Amino acid sequence: MLPVLNEATVATFKAGLRGELIEPGDPRYDEARRVYNAMIDRRPRLIARCVDVADVITAVNFGRHNKLRVSIRGGGHNAAGLGVCDDGLVIDLSPMRYVRVDPKRRTVLAGGGSLWGDVDHAAHAFGLAVPAGIISTTGVGGLTLGGGLGHLTRQCGLTIDNLLAVDMVLADGRFVSATAKENADLFWAVRGGGGNFGVVTSFLFKAHPIETEYAGPMLWPLDEAAEIMRWYRGFITKAPTTINGFFAFLTVPPGPPFPEHLHHKKMCGIVWCYTGPAKKAEQMFKPIRGFKTPALDLVGPIPHPVLQSMFDGLYPPGQQWYWKADFVRELSDEAIALHIKHGSKLPTMQSTMHLYPVNGAASRVKNNATPWSYRDAVWASVIVGVDPDPANKEKISAWARDYWTALHPYSAGGAYVNFMMEEGDDRIRATYGKNYDRLAKIKKRYDPGNLFRVNQNIKPAK
Ligand SMILES: Cc1cc2nc3c(=O)[nH]c(=O)nc-3n(C[C@H](O)[C@H](O)[C@H](O)COP(=O)(O)OP(=O)(O)OC[C@H]3O[C@@H](n4cnc5c(N)ncnc54)[C@H](O)[C@@H]3O)c2cc1C
């Protein structure tokens, strides 16, 4: 049973915070407990909007002393809703949105509640970019701690491969830094182990001199999808690491920049991102365009923050989300046939399936160098059911589950943690593979009471 908090205890907590403390009954409560996925409807006892490290220390200590369930909220994008919890305390980092770029060292410091759009915007002014995801409203916190896949994965590695340091508040309220040299075990664990080890109050990243890419989507009709997939599997496994391209099944949105004759059409596509010399871009794309002329080709020079936010409008917060994922080492002809069977039945306009390459720079890192244990996979797949209408919740979930059930036997086993719902311990163990036991030992050292358990939870070793 959860402990009852008396008014005086809450009032003392509130007085110790610079940020807001929001309780049920507060007019701000419903907005403060809302997360990106509208399927999630949790009612926390308290939401502490932390503005600084001192607030985070106060909140962690309060949660521990009062034996509360504690969740950590970064950007609120987690599809399983792991930034928010029922009856417990939400440590909401959303006021800690700040970015500082050091152009000489080519580093970027981001507050624990920053969004990727904040980083893209600030770094771009200095001609720099940090590898991130493909939607700019996603939180730096959750995406980084789970790994981080996106347009620059083949060129620059996962987001965690570009992480230099974190500042954290641990379960016992201590504030520590972790780098490859300082608290190296903790630094190993946070590069893929999620929010299991403490509240990260800031992230320091290595940035890359990437300003304008040659990038964007190319679309083909569904009846060419099998041919495109077969060509794509060969191309992306051999392509130079200056080019990334993720494959998708999608429905063309009914608006610009898409031509009217394609509106609402189910198609397949590849979203490309080339970061090599601009003068070589056309040459690089000659064989791609030459293989099969796309029905729509929107690939061209694009500033990095524009590419990063290209799909934001299609995926605003407040829609129903349900997704299922796997890692994939091989895309056999049989698997392609099943992809086409299920991918051609996209249940709603925003539903999609993505195959994100994890080869190239990301695969140069060993499976045990970070907890992210599928560096030898070629893709991370994600089947995404999305729709604004709650009445379609079952429809999109059933489609994603059926699709996944058909393809899972062709997968490598686990899935990217950031593409998982709450799927139980076996899935988490499959995802971390041989790295799980090491994570469990580090968890025992830094969070033996499992205070931070609203996440893809790693149980402290016995
Ligand atoms: C539309 C959309 C697009 C996406 N695209 C991509 C993509 O391209 N690439 C990719 O890799 N992933 C992608 N994701 C997945 C995304 O990485 C995860 O959903 C991630 O959990 C979101 O992080 P957040 O901070 O926004 O989430 P939150 O819901 O705020 O947090 C999720 C969990 O992360 C942990 N956490 C967050 N911040 C901190 C912190 N500062 N300290 C400690 N723990 C913290 C907590 O355990 C929390 O439970 C996408 C998700 C969505 C919804």
Side-chain angles (χ1 to χ4, degrees):
M1 230 187 48
L2 286 162
V4 178
L5 296 171
N6 66 41
E7 263 178 55
T9 311
V10 175
T12 309
F13 179 32
K14 191 170 186 170
L17 294 172
R18 282 224 163 160
E20 297 162 339
L21 185 67
I22 300 173
E23 297 184 65
D26 188 305
R28 297 162 298 182
Y29 181 70
D30 282 334
E31 185 263 317
R33 72 187 179 88
R34 199 173 295 140
V35 289
Y36 182 83
N37 181 0
M39 260 190 214
I40 308 295
D41 181 22
R42 301 207 176 118
R43 307 188 71 85
R45 171 68 183 84
L46 294 166
I47 301 167
R49 285 193 160 156
C50 298
V51 299
D52 57 17
V53 172
D55 275 1
V56 175
I57 293 173
T58 303
V60 167
N61 287 336
F62 182 84
R64 192 185 62 254
H65 282 143
N66 292 287
K67 298 190 168 46
L68 292 175
R69 182 193 298 277
V70 170
S71 72
I72 309 165
R73 180 185 174 128
H77 255 230
N78 191 277
L82 297 173
V84 69
C85 59
D86 275 325
D87 304 320
L89 167 67
V90 176
I91 298 181
D92 180 355
L93 303 174
S94 56
M96 294 175 70
R97 275 176 73 177
Y98 57 83
V99 179
R100 187 180 189 281
V101 181
D102 182 335
K104 276 202 195 119
R105 290 196 175 89
R106 283 192 182 154
T107 60
V108 172
L109 182 80
S114 304
L115 306 183
W116 279 108
D118 304 333
V119 171
D120 297 336
H121 169 76
H124 187 67
F126 297 93
L128 296 171
V130 177
I134 64 151
I135 303 272
S136 79
T137 54
T138 310
V140 169
L143 182 135
T144 301
L145 296 169
L149 284 166
H151 294 297
L152 298 178
T153 304
R154 294 192 81 250
Q155 299 89 333
C156 310
L158 301 174
T159 304
I160 46 173
D161 302 335
N162 296 279
L163 186 63
L164 299 172
V166 287
D167 281 344
M168 297 179 69
V169 176
L170 303 176
D172 61 7
R174 265 184 308 146
F175 177 75
V176 297
S177 295
T179 68
K181 291 201 175 122
E182 189 180 358
N183 296 309
D185 56 348
L186 191 57
F187 190 58
W188 180 84
V190 295
R191 284 176 295 159
N196 272 285
F197 302 93
V199 184
V200 177
T201 53
S202 68
F203 296 84
L204 182 70
F205 297 103
K206 175 171 82 184
H208 297 261
I210 294 173
E211 205 170 351
T212 300
E213 288 117 341
Y214 190 87
M218 276 183 193
L219 308 184
W220 293 268
L222 264 191
D223 57 13
E224 291 176 1
E227 233 180 313
I228 296 295
M229 282 186 105
R230 284 197 293 268
W231 169 82
Y232 168 72
R233 79 181 164 198
F235 177 84
I236 208 71
T237 42
K238 293 188 201 86
T241 54
T242 46
I243 190 165
N244 194 87
F246 73 84
F247 180 91
F249 287 114
L250 60 115
T251 306
V252 178
F258 302 100
E260 241 177 270
H261 71 279
L262 294 181
H263 289 178
H264 297 292
K265 249 190 181 313
K266 291 186 170 75
M267 302 190 79
C268 74
I270 299 174
V271 182
W272 298 105
C273 175
Y274 171 71
T275 52
K279 59 179 187 299
K280 293 198 175 154
E282 296 289 338
Q283 190 62 24
M284 169 63 86
F285 279 79
K286 233 182 184 167
I288 298 174
R289 292 186 165 116
F291 173 70
K292 216 160 221 341
T293 309
L296 185 69
D297 183 345
L298 294 176
V299 181
I302 183 169
H304 183 70
V306 179
L307 175 67
Q308 288 298 111
S309 52
M310 182 178 261
F311 305 111
D312 287 9
L314 194 57
Y315 294 111
Q319 308 201 74
Q320 309 283 309
W321 277 74
Y322 182 88
W323 58 15
K324 293 282 289 177
D326 270 317
F327 284 114
V328 180
R329 291 203 179 97
E330 257 180 80
L331 199 52
S332 66
D333 287 352
E334 258 177 284
I336 288 177
L338 288 167
H339 269 295
I340 287 160
K341 179 178 167 200
H342 292 272
S344 57
K345 292 186 207 152
L346 297 168
T348 58
M349 212 267 290
Q350 282 104 334
S351 295
T352 185
M353 189 288 297
H354 291 172
L355 282 172
Y356 290 98
V358 295
N359 64 353
S363 65
R364 287 191 205 123
V365 178
K366 288 206 173 108
N367 275 347
N368 63 1
T370 69
W372 218 88
S373 64
Y374 280 87
R375 303 284 187 157
D376 54 337
V378 179
W379 294 279
S381 72
V382 62
I383 300 157
V384 197
V386 189
D387 196 62
D389 187 351
N392 285 333
K393 179 176 164 175
E394 254 323 297
K395 180 163 111 176
I396 58 173
S397 307
W399 168 78
R401 273 195 297 266
D402 287 352
Y403 193 159
W404 181 85
T405 304
L407 265 301
H408 182 63
Y410 299 85
S411 76
Y416 173 35
V417 274
N418 276 344
F419 289 161
M420 278 164 51
M421 304 303 282
E422 289 190 273
E423 301 178 24
D425 284 349
D426 289 351
R427 274 306 265 163
I428 297 170
R429 277 178 179 274
T431 285
Y432 290 114
K434 289 184 186 154
N435 290 328
Y436 188 91
D437 290 345
R438 184 169 171 194
L439 283 167
K441 281 186 194 136
I442 299 172
K443 176 78 173 175
K444 185 182 174 190
R445 179 157 181 214
Y446 289 98
D447 184 15
N450 207 2
L451 179 69
F452 303 116
R453 61 183 178 280
V454 184
N455 43 41
Q456 301 295 353
N457 195 229
I458 291 152
K459 307 278 182 301
K462 294 229 166 73

